[in-house]
Amino acid sequence: IRFDGRVAAITGAGRGLGRAYALLLAARGAPLVVNNRLSGDAGTDSAEAVAREIRARGGNAVAERSDLRAPEAAAAIVECVLASYGRLDVLIHNAGVIESQPVADLGEADFQRVFEINTLSALRLTQAALPAMRRQRYGRIVFTTSTAGLYGNPGLAAYAMAKGALLGLMRAVAAEEG
């Protein structure tokens, strides 16, 4: 399977699954926008590290560092993709965080942070990407979720709730845009 000429944007692509998605799509010919926020006291730029790795392997990648907690991040990511490549064919929402606390101890602020990054940012990204995908009459949106969203896990109520909501969003988008 090749993705030559199909432009992809991947959130949370600085490490883990997102990095693996980026490397695989790049190896199969997709130009990419690699999103990951700067992290740590030193402002570690994992998005640029992955983009550099892709370019070193002969691929085409641009780093994008928006923090998905910001409402304007979705538009910034889509604008980066369109400015860099002129189209957006594949959007993979992979960014996510886990808050490990029992339900009885879960604070609303902790839940809001998990929901903001894992779910609300996916909605915002989808809304930002759909106009370009509709104009092209082509697009694929992938949400990385978890069995925690289906079955729950002890100590992962916020994460399970956010991933369960993401499954609902996925089904709604598929029904509306399929």
Side-chain angles (χ1 to χ4, degrees):
I1 298 174
R2 298 289 306 168
F3 294 95
D4 301 287
R6 296 289 188 197
V7 176
I10 305 170
T11 67
R15 59 188 156 276
L17 286 174
R19 178 180 174 274
Y21 298 151
L23 294 176
L24 178 65
L25 287 173
R28 295 190 176 194
L32 300 168
V33 168
V34 176
N35 163 268
N36 213 84
R37 66 182 172 88
L38 296 174
S39 60
D41 294 335
T44 303
D45 192 347
S46 57
E48 180 56 39
V50 172
R52 191 177 318 116
E53 183 177 358
I54 289 167
R55 291 189 301 266
R57 295 179 182 189
N60 187 350
V62 173
E64 202 289 329
R65 298 159 190 93
S66 293
D67 185 334
L68 291 175
R69 293 175 291 188
E72 63 275 5
I77 292 167
V78 172
E79 287 170 15
C80 177
V81 175
L82 296 177
S84 298
Y85 301 111
R87 60 181 301 120
L88 173 58
D89 299 291
V90 179
L91 172 63
I92 300 177
H93 182 276
N94 176 70
V97 296
I98 294 177
E99 180 64 45
S100 183
Q101 291 187 37
V103 172
D105 300 332
L106 182 62
E108 190 169 323
D110 296 323
F111 169 76
Q112 287 176 342
R113 181 177 61 84
V114 171
F115 198 82
E116 180 87 31
I117 295 169
N118 292 5
T119 310
L120 190 53
S121 67
L123 172 64
R124 291 174 182 145
L125 276 164
T126 300
Q127 290 172 325
L130 282 175
M133 291 179 170
R134 285 175 176 161
R135 278 192 306 274
Q136 297 163 184
R137 303 186 59 79
Y138 181 89
R140 302 293 184 265
I141 300 173
V142 176
F143 300 126
T144 300
T145 188
S146 168
T147 57
L150 293 173
Y151 307 111
N153 281 60
L156 296 180
Y159 182 73
M161 290 170 65
K163 292 300 186 175
L166 197 54
L167 290 166
L169 174 61
M170 173 196 66
R171 289 183 182 111
V173 172
E176 290 175 6
E177 299 296 328

